[in-house]
C-alpha cells in the first residue's frame, strides 16, 4: 500500500477500520455504518477495509455516500510473495524485544508495544526473516514450549504462521491520515486501530455491536479444522484443545489491546458492556449507545382509534428467519397454548424458510402435530410494514440476539412484544435508564426456550386490552425518546467533533 | 534414492550369510555406480597389454573407453538426478505406470543430444570412419545403460543390473578378444561394444517386462528440468568435478597424444583408477547402513511430524537419527580407514601386481587418500540430498569443481612430485564444506524442515 496520502498530506476527518463488512458485505452492521456516514455529510470518512482473500469478489453492496472517500482494501489471508533479503536480518537486540513482547503480551506495556510497532514500521522485521528466519524459529519453539508443549507441533507451527502473518502484514501497513480512528470491532481491525493510535497519536474509538472475542470463541470451539487431540473430544467437560486455546488467546489479546488503546468504547446494550468488562475493558470507558431506527416508516401504522376492548379476533406475528437460532419450535408450542384459549387466532411467521430446509420441514411437522394448520401461516420473506398494522403482538423466541430491530420496529408501530431474555430485549421492552423505565413496559420478557411462559405472556397481552394499549403507547414513546436514528447520528457527531478537536495524544 | 532401503532390508532380513553378502554386492554395484564399472572394465582389459596386441591399438582402445565413460557420465549427469527425483515423486504418488513413458522421453533426449555431441566430439580425431562410427554407437549405448540403471534401481531390480553386467562384461571381453584377429582394432572395439549392447538390451528387456508401454512423450518429466534446474546442474557438474583432474591431465605438458587428438596421461590415470577400487567396500557399507537404518530414522522422523506428535518426540527421533549417523560414520571411518591405511603401506606390492611403475607409488598413495575423502564426500552429499538441501549441494559441487580445477592446474605447474595433490586437497576442501552443511543441517533439522515451508 502506498503512502501517497501521507505525502500529499490529505487528511480525513474519520477513518473507519472495518473487518469483513461495509461496503462489501451487507448486513446489520453494514447498514448501521452506511446510515452513520450518510447522516453526517459534513464529515469526510475514509476506511481501511479488511477482507479475507482477494479470491472473493469485492464489490460494493451499498451506494456509498459522497463523503465516503478513498477506502483501502487489505486482504488478510492472501498469499504473500516473500523476497529473501540476504542483508536485512533481524538484529539480536530487536529479536530480544520481540521475545519480550510475546512474553509480556498480557501485561501490555504501552512503551513496549510502541517500540515493537515502530520497529516494524522501520522495516526492522522483514517478513522473509519472520517467516523463514532462524531467530523467529527459535521464538516459535520457545512459545511452543511455554504455551502448548505436549500438543501436535505441526499444527502449532501452522497456527502460529496463520495467526501471525495477518498481524505482521497489518503492522507494516501505511494508514490513511485522519483526525479520529474508529474501529467497529476488535480483532484485526482493532489492531489496525491500535497501530493508528500509536503511529499517528490520534484518538481511537471503538464501537462493538457483537462482542468479537465471544463470537470467535464460539466459532473456534465449533471449528473442526483446528486440530485437537482425540482424547480431548471424549472428555465430558469438552475442554478445548491447546491449539484452539491458542487461537482464542490471540483474539483475547487483540481484544484487550484494542480496549486499552481506545479512548472510548461504545456498545448497544448493558449485556454487551458486561461481556466487554469480562474481556478486560475498563468499565469507565464503556458507553451504551443503542441503535436507532428511522421512525417515519413505522409511526402511525396502527390507527389511532384502534378498539382494544371490543376486539375478539387476534393476530400474532413472528419476524425472523426459520432457523434453529430463532427457536421457531418454542414459538409454535406457545401458539398451541394460546390457541387453546382463544378461538379466533391467526399466526404469521414472517421470514425466509429456505435457509435451513430441514429445520423448516420439522417446523411444518410440528404444526401438523399440534393441529395448528388453520392458524399458522408461513409467509416467507415479506415487508413487515404490511403486516404490522394488523398484528396485536409480536413474538421473538431467539436463543441469541444483540439488539433486535424487530422489537424496535414493533415498539415504534405500537405493537407490544413478547421476547426471550436475550441481548437487549429486556432494555427495549422494560426500559434501560430510570426515565426510560418510567415509561412502563412495552412488552413482556420471558425465559429462553420456555413455551409455557411465552404462551402465557401472549395470552396476557391479548386478553388485557388496557395493558395492551398501555404497552403500545409506551413502545411508541420509548422509541421516539431513546431510539431515534437522528439522535444516534447526533450522538456520534458530537463524539467525533470532540475527538477531532483533541490535541495529539502521547 | 530412498526407495532402495526396503529391498536391502528385505534381503538382509533373510538372515543368512549368503543373502547378506549378495545384499552387499548389490549395494556396491548400485552405489559405486557407473564409474566403478568403467574402472573394472578397464582393469580387466588392461591386463591384455601383455597379450600380444599392438601397443598403439591397445592405447587407442583404452583411451577411447576412458573417454566414452568419462564423457557419458558427465553428459548423462544432467538427466540423472532430475529423473531420479521425478521417479521418486511419481512413486510416492503411487503412479508407477508412468515409468516407461518417462524412460522413452529421456531416451529420446539422451540419444538425440548424445549423437550430436558424440559425433561432434570425435569428428576431428584421426581414426578410421568405421572406428568413429562404432565409438559413437558405444558412446550412446553406455549413456543409455546409465539411464536404464536409474530406472531399474528406482524399481529396485538390482539383480537384473548385476546379471546384465556380469554377462555383458564377459561378452565384451570375449568378443573383443575374438574379433581383434579378424577385424583388428575395429573388431576389438566392436566386440566390446557388442557386450555393452547386451547389457543395455538386457536392462531394457527387464524394463519392458516390468512396465507396459505407453505414450512416448512425457511433458511432466520435461517440466522437471525447469523446476529442478539445480539438480540437472549438480548432476552434470559433480560428475565433471570427479573427472576434471583427469581431463586436465590429458592436456598436461607431459601427457601423450595417442593419435590426434586422443590424449592420455599414463602416469596419472593408472594410480587414480586403481585407488578408486578401494572405496567399493565403504560404498557397500554406506548403502546398507544409510539406506536402511538411516532411512528408517528419517522416515520415522517425518512420520512423527505428520502424525501430529509434540516437539519433544520429534526431537527424540532426531536424536536417534543423529546418533545413528554418527555411528555409521565411525564404522565407515574404521573400515575405510583401515583399508586405505593397508593399501598405503602395501602400495609397493600393489603397484607390482597391477603393473604400474614404482615412480607412481606416491601418486597412488595420495590418490588413495583422495579417494577416501571422495567417498566421504559422496556420503555427505547423499545425506544433504535426503534433506533436500539442493542449494547446499550445488555449493559443494561448485567448490569441488573449482578447487579440483584450480588445484590440479597448480599441481601440474608445480611438477611431477605434486601430481595427485590437487585432487586430494580438492576432495578435502569439498568434504569439509559438505561436512559443515551436514552438521549444520542436522543440528537445525527441525528448523529446516519447517521454516523453509512456503507460506499458504
Amino acid at each position: 500500500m502506498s503512502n501517497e496520502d501521507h505525502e500529499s498530506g490529505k487528511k480525513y476527518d474519520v477513518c473507519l477500520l472495518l473487518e469483513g463488512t461495509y461496503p462489501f458485505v451487507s448486513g446489520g452492521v453494514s447498514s448501521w455504518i452506511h446510515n452513520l456516514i450518510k447522516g453526517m455529510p459534513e464529515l469526510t470518512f475514509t476506511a481501511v477495509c479488511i477482507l479475507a482473500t482477494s479470491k472473493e469478489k469485492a464489490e460494493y453492496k451499498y451506494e456509498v455516500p459522497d463523503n465516503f472517500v478513498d477506502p483501502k482494501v487489505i486482504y488478510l489471508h492472501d498469499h504473500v510473495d516473500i523476497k529473501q533479503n540476504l542483508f536485512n536480518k533481524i538484529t539480536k537486540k530487536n529479536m530480544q524485544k520481540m521475545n519480550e513482547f510475546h512474553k509480556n503480551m498480557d501485561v501490555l506495556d504501552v512503551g513496549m508495544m510502541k517500540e515493537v510497532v515502530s520497529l516494524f514500521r522501520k522495516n526492522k522485521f522483514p517478513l522473509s526473516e519472520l517467516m523463514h528466519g532462524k531467530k523467529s524459529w527459535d521464538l516459535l519453539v520457545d512459545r511452543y514450549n511455554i504455551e502448548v508443549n505436549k500438543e501436535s507441533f505441526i499444527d502449532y507451527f501452522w497456527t502460529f504462521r496463520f495467526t501471525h502473518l495477518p498481524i505482521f502484514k497489518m503492522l507494516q501497513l501505511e494508514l490513511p491520515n485522519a483526525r479520529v480512528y474508529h474501529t467497529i470491532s476488535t480483532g484485526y481491525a482493532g489492531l489496525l486501530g491500535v497501530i493508528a493510535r500509536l503511529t499517528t497519536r490520534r484518538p481511537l474509538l471503538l464501537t462493538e455491536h457483537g462482542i468479537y472475542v465471544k463470537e470467535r470463541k464460539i466459532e473456534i470451539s465449533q471449528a473442526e479444522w483446528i486440530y485437537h487431540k482425540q482424547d480431548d473430544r471424549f472428555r465430558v467437560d469438552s475442554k478445548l484443545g491447546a491449539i484452539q486455546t491458542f487461537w482464542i488467546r490471540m483474539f483475547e489479546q487483540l481484544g484487550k489491546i484494542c480496549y486499552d488503546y481506545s479512548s472510548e468504547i461504545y456498545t448497544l446494550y448493558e449485556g454487551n458492556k458486561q461481556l466487554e468488562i469480562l474481556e478486560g475493558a475498563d468499565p469507565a470507558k464503556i458507553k451504551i449507545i443503542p441503535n436507532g431506527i428511522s421512525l417515519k416508516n413505522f409511526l402511525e401504522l396502527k390507527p389511532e382509534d384502534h378498539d382494544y376492548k371490543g376486539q375478539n379476533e387476534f393476530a400474532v406475528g413472528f419476524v425472523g428467519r426459520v432457523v434453529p437460532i430463532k427457536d421457531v419450535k418454542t414459538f409454535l408450542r406457545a401458539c398451541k397454548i394460546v390457541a387453546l384459549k382463544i378461538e379466533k387466532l391467526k399466526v404469521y411467521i414472517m421470514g425466509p424458510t429456505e435457509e435451513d430446509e430441514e429445520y423448516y420441514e420439522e417446523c411444518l411437522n410440528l404444526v401438523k402435530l399440534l393441529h395448528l394448520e388453520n392458524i399458522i401461516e408461513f409467509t416467507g420473506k415479506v415487508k413487515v410494514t404490511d403486516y404490522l398494522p394488523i398484528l396485536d403482538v409480536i413474538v421473538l423466541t431467539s436463543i441469541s440476539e444483540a439488539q433486535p430491530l424487530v422489537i424496535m420496529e414493533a415498539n415504534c408501530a405500537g405493537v407490544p412484544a413478547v421476547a426471550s431474555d436475550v441481548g437487549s430485549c429486556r432494555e427495549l421492552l422494560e426500559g434501560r435508564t430510570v426515565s426510560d423505565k418510567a415509561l412502563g413496559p412495552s412488552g413482556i420478557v420471558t425465559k429462553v426456550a420456555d413455551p409455557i411462559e411465552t404462551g402465557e405472556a401472549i395470552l396476557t397481552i391479548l386478553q388485557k386490552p388496557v395493558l395492551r394499549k398501555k404497552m403500545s403507547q409506551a413502545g411508541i414513546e420509548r422509541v421516539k425518546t431513546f431510539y431515534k436514528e437522528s439522535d444516534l447520528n447526533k450522538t456520534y457527531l458530537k463524539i467525533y467533533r470532540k475527538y477531532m478537536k483533541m490535541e495529539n495524544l502521547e | 534414492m530412498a526407495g532402495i532401503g526396503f529391498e536391502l532390508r528385505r534381503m538382509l532380513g533373510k538372515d543368512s550369510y549368503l543373502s547378506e553378502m549378495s545384499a552387499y554386492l548389490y549395494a556396491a554395484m548400485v552405489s559405486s555406480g557407473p564409474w566403478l564399472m568403467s574402472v573394472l572394465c578397464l582393469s580387466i582389459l588392461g591386463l591384455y597389454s601383455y597379450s600380444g596386441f599392438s601397443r598403439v591399438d591397445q592405447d587407442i582402445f583404452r583411451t577411447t573407453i576412458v573417454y566414452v565413460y568419462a564423457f557419458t557420465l558427465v553428459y548423462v549427469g544432467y538427466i540423472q538426478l532430475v529423473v531420479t527425483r521425478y521417479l521418486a515423486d511419481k512413486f510416492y504418488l503411487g503412479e508407477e505406470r508412468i515409468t516407461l513413458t518417462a524412460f522413452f522421453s529421456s531416451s529420446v533426449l539422451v540419444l538425440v543430444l548424445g549423437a550430436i555431441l558424440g559425433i561432434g566430439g570425435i569428428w576431428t580425431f584421426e581414426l578410421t570412419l568405421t572406428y568413429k562410427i562404432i565409438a559413437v554407437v558405444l558412446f550412446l549405448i553406455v549413456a543409455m545403460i546409465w539411464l536404464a540403471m536409474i530406472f531399474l534401481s528406482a524399481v529396485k531390480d538390482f539383480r537384473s543390473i548385476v546379471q546384465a553386467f556380469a554377462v555383458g562384461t564377459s561378452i565384451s571381453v570375449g568378443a573383443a578378444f575374438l574379433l581383434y584377429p579378424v577385424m583388428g582394432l575395429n573388431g576389438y572395439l566392436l566386440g566390446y561394444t557388442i557386450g555393452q549392447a547386451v547389457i543395455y538390451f538386457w536392462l531394457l528387456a527387464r524394463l519392458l517386462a516390468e512396465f507396459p508401454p505407453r505414450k512416448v512423450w512425457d511433458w511432466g518429466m520435461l517440466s522437471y528440468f525447469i523446476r529442478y534446474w539445480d539438480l540437472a546442474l549438480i548432476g552434470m557438474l559433480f560428475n565433471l568435478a570427479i573427472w576434471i583432474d583427469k581431463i586436465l591431465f590429458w592436456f598436461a605438458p607431459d601427457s601423450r597424444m595417442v593419435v590426434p587428438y586422443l590424449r592420455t596421461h599414463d602416469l596419472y590415470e593408472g594410480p587414480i583408477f586403481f585407488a578408486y577400487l578401494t572405496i567399493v567396500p565403504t560404498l557397500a557399507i554406506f548403502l546398507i547402513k544409510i539406506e536402511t537404518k538411516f532411512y528408517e530414522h528419517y522416515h520415522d522422523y517425518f512420520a512423527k511430524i505428520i502424525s501430529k506428535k509434540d516437539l519433544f518426540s520429534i526431537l527424540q527421533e532426531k536424536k536417534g537419527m543423529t546418533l545413528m549417523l554418527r555411528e555409521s560414520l565411525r564404522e565407515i571411518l574404521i573400515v575405510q580407514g583401515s583399508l586405505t591405511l593397508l593399501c598405503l603401506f602395501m602400495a609397493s606390492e600393489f603397484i607390482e601386481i597391477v603393473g604400474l611403475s614404482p615412480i607412481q607409488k606416491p601418486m597412488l598413495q595420495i590418490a588413495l587418500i583422495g579417494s577416501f575423502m571422495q567417498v566421504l564426500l559422496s556420503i555427505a552429499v547423499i545425506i544433504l540430498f535426503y534433506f533436500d538441501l539442493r542449494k547446499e549441494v550445488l555449493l559443494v559441487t561448485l567448490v569441488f569443481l573449482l578447487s579440483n580445477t584450480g588445484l590440479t592446474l597448480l599441481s601440474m605447474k608445480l611438477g611431477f612430485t605434486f601430481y595427485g595433490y590437487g585432487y586430494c586437497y580438492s576432495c578435502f576442501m569439498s568434504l569439509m564444506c559438505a561436512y559443515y552443511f551436514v552438521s549444520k543441517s542436522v543440528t537445525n533439522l527441525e528448523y529446516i524442515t519447517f521454516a523453509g515451508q512456503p507460506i499458504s
Side-chain angles (χ1 to χ4, degrees), chain B residues 352-377:
Chain B
E352 212 166 293
I353 295 169
V354 297
L356 291 172
S357 151
I359 56 162
Q360 288 173 303
K361 187 181 150 189
M363 237 178 285
L364 177 67
Q365 284 170 325
I366 200 72
L368 281 167
I369 298 168
S371 303
F372 176 47
M373 284 185 293
Q374 197 196 312
V375 73
L376 292 178
L377 173 65

Side-chain angles (χ1 to χ4, degrees), chain A residues 79 132 134 144 153 155 161, chain B residues 308-309 311 447 451 453:
Chain A
H79 175 82
H132 301 299
K134 177 77 170 72
Y144 170 84
F153 184 72
D155 285 293
R161 266 199 177 175
Chain B
K308 300 177 183 297
K309 287 286 184 296
L311 186 61
Y447 162 64
Q453 294 286 321

Side-chain angles (χ1 to χ4, degrees), chain B residues 235-298:
Chain B
M236 192 141 78
L237 294 186
F238 197 81
N239 281 340
L240 184 62
I242 290 175
W243 281 94
I244 192 70
D245 56 316
K246 285 124 235 160
I247 293 170
L248 286 173
F249 264 100
W250 295 334
F251 297 96
D254 53 355
S255 70
R256 183 164 60 90
M257 194 183 296
V258 181
V259 290
Y261 300 87
L262 213 53
R263 309 184 69 100
T264 177
H265 195 286
D266 304 318
L267 276 176
Y268 188 72
E269 279 172 19
I272 293 276
F273 288 149
F274 282 116
Y276 273 157
L277 290 175
T278 61
I279 68 177
V280 176
T282 299
L283 281 167
I285 295 168
F286 167 71
L287 215 81
I288 298 297
K289 289 286 172 200
I290 302 286
E291 301 272 20
T292 56
K293 286 223 184 82
F294 176 73
Y295 179 75
E296 236 167 67
H297 279 287
Y298 172 86

Side-chain angles (χ1 to χ4, degrees), chain A residues 79 82 131-134 137 141 144 149-155 157 161 165 227, chain B residues 305-312 314 444 446-448 450-456:
Chain A
H79 175 82
I82 287 178
M131 284 294 119
H132 301 299
K134 177 77 170 72
W137 165 260
V141 171
Y144 170 84
N149 201 347
K150 285 277 177 287
E151 292 281 332
S152 159
F153 184 72
I154 191 168
D155 285 293
F157 171 76
R161 266 199 177 175
L165 191 61
Y227 169 78
Chain B
I305 291 171
I306 303 289
S307 65
K308 300 177 183 297
K309 287 286 184 296
D310 60 304
L311 186 61
F312 182 75
I314 295 169
N444 295 327
E446 64 280 8
Y447 162 64
I448 292 165
F450 279 99
Q453 294 286 321
I455 289 165
S456 87

Side-chain angles (χ1 to χ4, degrees), chain A residues 83-96:
Chain A
K83 285 184 207 83
Q84 279 284 6
N85 192 336
L86 273 179
F87 303 104
N88 196 359
K89 299 275 183 206
I90 304 170
T91 65
K92 216 172 154 186
K93 207 177 98 207
N94 287 343
M95 202 62 213
Q96 210 147 25

